[in-house]
Amino acid sequence: MRARPSGTIRTCVLLVLLAVTGIAILELVREQTGTSGFFVGLGLAMLPVAPLMAAFRWLGRAAPAPWSQLLFCFAWGACTAALIAILANNFATEWIAAATADASAADHLGSVAIAPVVEESAKAAALLLVFFFRRRHFTGPADGFVVAGFTATGFAFTENVLYLGNAFVEDLAEGSGALESVTAATFFVRIVLSPFAHPLFTVLTGLGFGVAAVSARRTRRIFLPLLGLALAMGMHALWNGSSQFGDHGFYVVYACVMVPAFGLLVWLAVRIRRDRLRAVAGELALYAAAGWLGPAEVPALASMPARSLARALARHNGGRAAGRTVARYQADAAALALLRNRARRGGPVRERDFAGRERELLERLWQGRATAGPALTRAAVMEELVPPWFDLLDPSASHADVPRPRRTADAPAAQDPAQSTDPAPIMTPITAADPDPDPGLRRSGPWSSATPAGPSSIRPCVLPGGDGVR
């Protein structure tokens, strides 16, 4: 009861902070660029935002984070982190210039030594908030990747508005042509050539937080985020100082450092996503064996094309509400699998509510199974993840005929991750002769005819192609 008011107050404080910093950064950028420069910069800076957000969202689709969390990270980067960076960088540069009486040296030192530290620390604050207050949605490197990407995309958006707006004002004053303009050169460097620069830096911090989230040792949970932050600052400083390495220093750093690093992170992102889907397949197979999922649902939940197809089938047959139910079912199933996988790998001991969280997700899965189970089964058949006979369902069957799994003496409760590295499913199927422990969860729906008739019909989950991941 005490947690809800504190969570509400925390949310209100963050919203007020974002609103205040948003208004402040808006006025500050408009003051520096002028009204016309602001709108030109705003229009040009929006171009890479959607592709970057879509790319990071794609990475996290295996276990999607709530949109509210992702939008908070984007807003933090665009408003709070950008405001902190502009004010701190300007103050530091002016202080150095006054102390050394050399404005040029102050600008160079500020861009190489001050800006990377201030900007990466300001962006890392969003990751720190999510890591501490939304640990339920921060379960590994993929989540760190996504949270860092959204934060850095927001920061780069505001920075691009400022740079492009100032370039446009300069072109207006000098009367430059379109192709020879500073605006065109700035657009090429920041939007075309290196839109991934800020996400690349901050993702290193995000990976540190992500690995720390699945680490059992306290020292690693402290050291790894700091290491990632230090690497982000170093990469950022190298990028900002590349123009000081001669006439072609920028292109040398871009070709020899930035592009290979970007390619390595893309490869790592694809591998993380694939490993996450494999973990979903492996862990959910145990719940399918206990009767919580149909055997054909497991390969469908481990295949992103099958998930999309299942949502489309549900919307076609049951409307948008059915599609949303299937989407929630998929997200809960992935969260359950990753929760169990984290416990198996010896996650942090402070996650003491493993059994309660597992039970909560299982109950939600059971409530949505009447709608999601048949859609996932049909999708698995259509994607050729299971044999066609999985789709031979009795249309006269009812979801009420399906025995609801329950706790038995043969299936002990889920263990705390600190006590076991291989927790068992907390529930096993009951027989048809046993009484229904909770008939209120038995609900029919547009897909209610697709659930197997009882425990005897549940077969071992065989994943075609070795790992079942597509």
Side-chain angles (χ1 to χ4, degrees):
M1 293 297 292
R2 289 195 298 269
R4 290 189 178 183
S6 63
T8 302
I9 294 174
R10 187 167 57 240
T11 301
C12 292
V13 170
L14 288 176
L15 290 177
V16 171
L17 177 63
L18 291 176
V20 171
T21 55
I23 295 172
I25 194 68
L26 180 67
E27 179 58 26
L28 184 60
V29 172
R30 192 201 62 78
E31 181 181 348
Q32 294 191 22
T33 62
T35 303
S36 59
F38 171 77
F39 283 108
V40 170
L42 181 66
L44 295 177
M46 289 180 63
L47 296 178
V49 171
L52 287 172
M53 292 176 69
F56 287 111
R57 183 64 174 171
W58 172 86
L59 173 61
R61 288 295 296 173
W67 267 110
S68 58
Q69 176 177 302
L70 299 180
L71 292 178
F72 160 76
C73 292
F74 180 86
W76 180 278
C79 300
T80 309
L83 181 64
I84 293 173
I86 290 177
L87 296 179
N89 289 340
N90 289 342
F91 173 80
T93 302
E94 292 175 0
W95 183 81
I96 295 173
T100 61
D102 188 347
S104 177
D107 288 338
H108 172 64
L109 184 60
S111 64
V112 175
I114 304 300
V117 175
V118 172
E119 294 176 10
E120 295 307 321
S121 299
K123 289 182 285 184
L127 280 67
L128 188 65
L129 290 173
V130 175
F131 185 79
F132 275 111
F133 298 112
R134 288 293 182 269
R135 285 296 299 277
R136 178 174 291 186
H137 304 296
F138 208 127
T139 58
D143 295 308
F145 221 114
V146 174
V147 171
F150 270 78
T151 305
T153 300
F155 184 90
F157 166 72
T158 301
E159 194 177 65
N160 287 337
V161 173
L162 183 62
Y163 277 91
L164 290 166
N166 285 332
F168 180 76
V169 172
E170 183 178 344
D171 290 333
L172 283 181
E174 297 180 358
S176 303
L179 296 180
E180 298 83 12
S181 65
V182 180
T183 305
T186 305
F187 180 85
F188 177 74
V189 171
R190 298 191 65 87
I191 306 300
V192 177
L193 205 60
S194 58
F196 58 85
H198 273 288
L200 175 63
F201 308 145
T202 313
V203 157
L204 298 175
T205 307
L207 289 175
F209 276 103
V211 177
V214 295
S215 177
R217 295 184 180 179
R218 182 180 180 85
T219 54
R220 290 183 180 179
R221 294 201 300 271
I222 298 174
F223 172 72
L224 290 175
L226 294 177
L227 176 62
L229 180 60
L231 291 175
M233 292 176 180
M235 182 77 76
H236 196 158
L238 178 64
W239 175 248
N240 285 359
S242 60
S243 60
Q244 305 298 320
F245 300 153
D247 295 337
H248 304 289
F250 170 81
Y251 299 102
V252 171
V253 172
Y254 181 81
C256 298
V257 178
M258 296 293 290
V259 172
F262 175 73
L264 178 63
L265 284 180
V266 169
W267 171 82
L268 183 61
V270 173
R271 176 157 186 176
I272 288 174
R273 186 176 189 264
R274 184 177 180 86
D275 289 345
R276 212 172 205 196
L277 290 173
R278 284 181 174 176
V280 168
E283 302 297 343
L284 291 184
L286 300 175
Y287 291 101
W292 283 98
L293 301 169
E297 295 178 40
V298 177
L301 289 167
S303 168
M304 299 311 297
R307 286 197 199 182
S308 299
L309 180 57
R311 293 193 298 271
L313 291 171
R315 284 193 299 268
H316 177 73
N317 288 272
R320 293 184 179 179
R324 288 193 295 269
T325 299
V326 174
R328 286 194 299 268
Y329 186 90
Q330 293 170 351
D332 289 339
L336 176 64
L338 295 177
L339 177 71
R340 182 181 177 80
N341 182 258
R342 187 181 178 194
R344 180 191 299 279
R345 296 169 58 184
V349 253
R350 58 182 175 179
E351 188 184 358
R352 304 185 183 278
D353 194 29
F354 172 80
R357 175 64 174 158
E358 183 187 40
R359 186 177 297 107
E360 173 190 350
L361 290 170
L362 286 172
E363 292 292 344
R364 282 159 52 178
L365 285 176
W366 189 257
Q367 295 181 42
R369 187 178 176 187
T371 300
L376 288 166
T377 300
R378 179 62 58 87
V381 171
M382 295 177 67
E383 289 289 325
E384 299 181 352
L385 301 176
V386 294
W389 52 262
F390 270 99
D391 203 31
L392 300 178
L393 303 173
D394 181 8
S396 64
S398 169
H399 183 59
D401 298 330
V402 185
R404 180 173 182 268
R406 72 169 186 185
R407 187 191 305 273
T408 66
D410 296 330
Q415 303 172 17
D416 190 284
Q419 300 173 352
S420 172
T421 59
D422 188 16
I426 66 170
M427 305 290 183
T428 55
I430 61 175
T431 63
D434 288 336
D436 185 352
D438 190 356
L441 293 178
R442 302 284 180 82
R443 297 192 305 178
S444 60
W447 293 88
S448 61
S449 62
T451 315
S456 61
S457 66
I458 297 179
R459 300 173 176 82
C461 179
V462 180
L463 305 183
D467 56 16
V469 179
R470 295 188 59 186

